[in-house]
Amino acid sequence: MTQEKANRWKLFLCLGIFIWFVTNLLQGIFTEIHEDEAYYALYGENLAWGYFDHPPMVGLMTFLSSILFSGTLGVRFFTIIVSCLTLFVVWKIVDEQSPNNGKVLTFFTITFSIAMLNVYGFITTPDASLILFSSLFLLVYQSYLKGSTWPKALLMGLLMALMMYSKYHAALLLALIVLSNLSLLKDGRFWVAAMFAILLYVPHILWQFEADFPSLKYHLVQRNSSFRWSYLLEYVPNQLLVFNPLVFGAMVYLLVKHRPKDVFERGLYFIIIGFFVFFFFSSFRGHVEPHWTMACAIPAVVLIYRKCQIDLKLNRCLRHFVWPSILLIVVMRVLLLTPAAERLGFYGKKQYYKAIEEVAGDKPVVFPSSFQKPSLYHFFTGKEASTVRPYYMRKTQFDLWQKDLQWLGDSVFICGNVYGVGQSFHKNDTAFNGYMATHFQSANRLSCQFQITNSGLDEVPVLHHGDTLFIDFSIENPSDITIDFQHDELSMVIKAQYLKNNDFCFCKYDTNIVIEPHSVYHGHLFTVVGDAIPAGDNRFALGIGDRVISSVTDDSCIDVVIK
């Protein structure tokens, strides 16, 4: 009987995980799909070893979910399973030597009170699998420190690869673990584990190479922007919301008050401090998404749990403040099911895309300037959609799929403002603009190269207001149809684009441009630097406008100075 009482905590642990599963299952069914999830669902329909934004694990998860279910569960089911496994693994990391119901309740109090762990309990993002595989890695690493063996080393290598297949942030976590324990650099087994991980990661590396490293270019270069105070000032408040201000405060308290008791805990300290410091400095060069530090959640749970067992002040804080805050999490979950969630993107989208379907019928739909809208349209209707990208919008996976190339010359519905020919539609109390093109053509995939022939030999040309620029240019048409600049529906123009302020000036050239399939057109034009172009540093390019967007070839832009 005594042994039976001693094991009641196991039933309590299983009950807690079961409640977590049922809660997230119901939330996953009844909470409307988020735009990013619809995008990742397309990953699952087009399995590959990599995608523009992320490694392939999130695509695999949506693919596996879609085998078992349709609708929202067809995107979220494996995320729900992964979140339950994560809870169990984190409990194992805690390594409680004398568990009881009270300690299990303390564990659930910490985990259930972290806002983003609740969100990633049912919403599919790359972070869900990263958290699971990071937890498994830390569990095996903890065991490895107690006694290194080849099976443990190889298992660590496998988990390193799975972490990297989930999200690139895994590289930072692994680097921090090594920095926390430099003796690993002298450990032959650890080196073999690292080599094994790299070997398993080769398919993704080859994909990056064949695609010209789009992910690296995007995350390391294209995401960068100039310093803004708002990016810096929003960083800490966002972290408070992500972790729950009370949990965040407890985390800061233990980092200051307590020292790590061993090498493993030192690694957890390094992960928490390293992530927060790294992304704090990242906020100097661009917006930092609040959830980018979510890899800290697992070390935070483990450390807070362990320290509250020996720190009465921390324990009282959990019981009197953190535990009641779970009620706010419950309220947040309920609100996600109501119209109040519309501002967060979890409500009210289906009617809009169904209305578009009524107009488009079975024709493909092209959405200018958005990768989320074609993803949502496909999710709600099951029909084909893509985007055309203006020069000021970042590239996405749609730029690798290039579905719009397949529809050139066909009839498509363009959902958005189409200059000069667009119409307004009203369906089922839903209003939107668009145009039914009978013969679709777009500047989106045209490649334009140019040279200013009278700019001198300066490395950075200096231009003056009123200057006339003489330009030789070439436009490559990679498609299977002829591009006609005098097209009856979607005619095109060439513009001198000044990208820093999104300004442009018109150009004078032979307007009767016709580019045969898979050929290059060579021409000449001139343009005048308008007085409205602001003085100072700028970026100059030739843009091609097609009534829907203005497209610029990224690698042809040049730096100029306007005086």
Side-chain angles (χ1 to χ4, degrees):
M1 187 69 180
T2 304
Q3 183 65 30
E4 184 177 325
K5 284 185 177 181
N7 288 331
R8 283 181 181 175
W9 66 269
K10 295 181 180 179
L11 179 62
F12 193 48
L13 178 69
C14 293
L15 178 62
I17 295 176
F18 178 74
I19 292 172
W20 180 260
F21 170 76
V22 172
T23 301
N24 287 320
L25 185 68
L26 294 173
Q27 191 93 51
I29 293 172
F30 295 110
T31 302
E32 192 173 80
I33 202 79
H34 190 268
E35 57 191 23
D36 288 345
E37 292 181 282
Y39 183 48
Y40 300 141
L42 285 176
Y43 285 13
E45 294 182 18
N46 300 270
L47 288 178
W49 282 107
Y51 302 97
F52 183 91
D53 315 77
H54 297 292
M57 188 62 69
V58 67
L60 180 61
M61 289 175 61
T62 60
F63 169 75
L64 294 174
S65 298
S66 68
I67 292 176
L68 300 176
F69 298 98
S70 59
T72 53
L73 274 189
V75 179
R76 293 170 170 166
F77 182 72
F78 265 83
T79 295
I80 296 167
I81 297 298
V82 160
S83 71
C84 294
L85 292 175
T86 300
L87 282 185
F88 178 75
V89 173
V90 176
W91 171 256
K92 299 296 289 184
I93 297 173
V94 163
D95 198 24
E96 176 59 60
Q97 298 301 307
S98 54
N100 56 48
N101 287 354
K103 291 179 178 179
V104 173
L105 180 61
T106 298
F107 171 75
F108 284 134
T109 298
I110 301 168
T111 52
F112 291 179
S113 65
I114 296 178
M116 289 307 285
L117 283 183
N118 282 267
V119 171
Y120 293 141
F122 68 95
I123 293 176
T124 295
T125 71
D127 299 88
S129 58
L130 174 64
I131 292 172
L132 172 63
F133 293 125
S134 297
S135 302
L136 285 167
F137 170 79
L138 290 173
L139 178 64
V140 176
Y141 174 62
Q142 181 176 233
S143 177
Y144 183 83
L145 291 174
K146 295 175 181 178
S148 61
T149 64
W150 282 113
K152 292 177 184 177
L154 293 176
L155 184 55
M156 276 203 306
L158 171 64
L159 292 169
M160 289 179 198
L162 291 173
M163 290 165 63
M164 289 297 297
Y165 271 119
S166 297
K167 198 170 184 179
Y168 300 118
H169 292 63
L172 177 59
L173 187 149
L174 294 172
L176 291 168
I177 284 293
V178 173
L179 287 174
S180 72
N181 184 12
L182 293 176
S183 63
L184 289 173
L185 299 176
K186 301 177 183 179
D187 185 342
R189 287 191 177 96
F190 183 80
W191 279 104
V192 170
M195 293 300 105
F196 183 48
I198 292 172
L199 179 64
L200 294 175
Y201 206 57
V202 164
H204 181 66
I205 296 172
L206 291 176
W207 179 89
Q208 289 283 352
F209 180 80
E210 292 171 358
D212 195 24
F213 301 100
S215 306
L216 293 179
K217 291 178 180 177
Y218 171 59
H219 289 293
L220 298 180
V221 179
Q222 295 167 5
R223 291 195 85 137
N224 294 345
S225 62
S226 58
F227 173 79
R228 293 185 188 178
W229 279 106
S230 59
Y231 294 154
L232 181 63
L233 296 176
E234 71 187 6
Y235 178 71
V236 172
N238 282 343
Q239 296 310 306
L240 291 173
L241 291 174
V242 164
F243 282 91
N244 180 335
L246 297 170
V247 174
F248 189 87
M251 184 167 54
V252 173
Y253 169 80
L254 72 86
L255 290 175
V256 174
K257 184 75 173 179
H258 296 275
R259 297 179 64 85
K261 70 176 184 179
D262 53 29
V263 174
F264 179 71
E265 280 199 0
R266 186 165 72 236
L268 301 184
Y269 275 64
F270 266 66
I271 292 171
I272 294 174
I273 296 172
F275 263 81
F276 284 124
V277 170
F278 178 86
F279 286 111
F280 172 77
F281 284 107
S282 295
S283 68
F284 284 83
R285 63 181 184 88
H287 172 68
V288 172
E289 294 291 343
H291 63 273
W292 285 354
T293 57
M294 273 312 295
C296 300
I298 303 311
V301 170
V302 173
L303 289 173
I304 293 173
Y305 175 87
R306 287 184 175 184
K307 301 311 177 186
C308 78
Q309 305 303 317
I310 59 175
D311 189 319
L312 293 179
K313 185 184 295 186
L314 186 59
N315 195 296
R316 284 197 298 270
C317 174
L318 285 178
R319 286 187 286 109
H320 297 311
F321 300 105
V322 176
W323 169 248
S325 73
I326 295 177
L327 294 176
L328 295 178
I329 301 293
V330 173
V331 171
M332 178 197 74
R333 283 180 172 268
V334 172
L335 288 176
L336 288 178
L337 304 173
T338 70
E342 186 171 359
R343 293 182 62 183
L344 299 175
F346 290 102
Y347 192 90
K349 300 184 293 294
K350 184 174 182 178
Q351 178 179 334
Y352 175 74
Y353 292 100
K354 283 293 187 180
I356 295 171
E357 182 189 22
E358 285 194 34
V359 175
D362 292 328
K363 292 181 172 61
V365 179
V366 174
F367 292 88
S369 311
S370 173
F371 66 91
Q372 297 98 338
K373 289 181 178 179
S375 304
L376 287 166
Y377 180 82
H378 179 73
F379 176 81
F380 287 119
T381 69
K383 295 178 180 178
E384 287 295 311
S386 188
T387 184
V388 286
R389 180 180 65 90
Y391 68 86
Y392 50 80
M393 176 183 162
R394 76 168 181 90
K395 288 185 177 181
T396 67
Q397 182 62 29
F398 284 100
D399 289 283
L400 300 184
W401 286 328
Q402 298 190 0
K403 293 184 178 182
D404 52 300
L405 271 180
Q406 305 168 19
W407 306 331
L408 294 177
D410 296 338
S411 178
V412 305
F413 180 68
I414 303 171
C415 186
N417 294 320
V418 183
Y419 179 75
V421 296
Q423 300 171 264
S424 295
F425 296 90
H426 297 269
K427 294 288 182 181
N428 301 327
D429 299 323
T430 301
F432 55 92
N433 296 325
Y435 176 70
M436 186 69 74
T438 58
H439 186 276
F440 176 60
Q441 73 169 18
S442 172
N444 201 43
R445 305 300 169 192
L446 299 179
S447 175
C448 180
Q449 304 294 327
F450 67 91
Q451 181 179 7
I452 303 175
T453 59
N454 64 331
S455 63
L457 300 177
D458 295 336
E459 184 175 346
V460 178
V462 178
L463 311 179
H464 299 83
H465 293 121
D467 280 355
T468 298
L469 305 181
F470 294 94
I471 299 174
D472 292 339
F473 68 92
S474 63
I475 302 175
E476 181 182 3
N477 173 16
S479 72
D480 294 327
I481 72 162
T482 299
I483 299 295
D484 183 358
F485 272 51
Q486 298 297 312
H487 193 275
D488 291 337
E489 297 177 289
L490 301 171
S491 58
M492 299 185 184
V493 296
I494 302 175
K495 297 181 287 186
Q497 303 275 177
Y498 297 87
L499 304 179
K500 184 175 182 180
N501 303 99
N502 294 329
D503 296 309
F504 71 91
C505 296
F506 290 106
C507 302
K508 184 68 175 179
Y509 55 93
D510 178 8
T511 57
N512 189 27
I513 297 177
V514 177
I515 314 175
E516 297 297 327
H518 304 286
S519 65
V520 179
Y521 175 91
H522 297 276
H524 313 277
L525 61 79
F526 70 85
T527 182
V528 177
V529 181
D531 293 337
I533 306 301
D537 295 339
N538 216 313
R539 292 277 285 171
F540 179 87
L542 288 186
I544 304 176
D546 61 7
R547 293 186 182 270
V548 181
I549 62 164
S550 184
S551 178
V552 164
T553 304
D554 294 334
D555 60 7
S556 71
C557 304
I558 63 171
D559 293 320
V560 297
V561 176
I562 309 295
K563 290 189 175 180

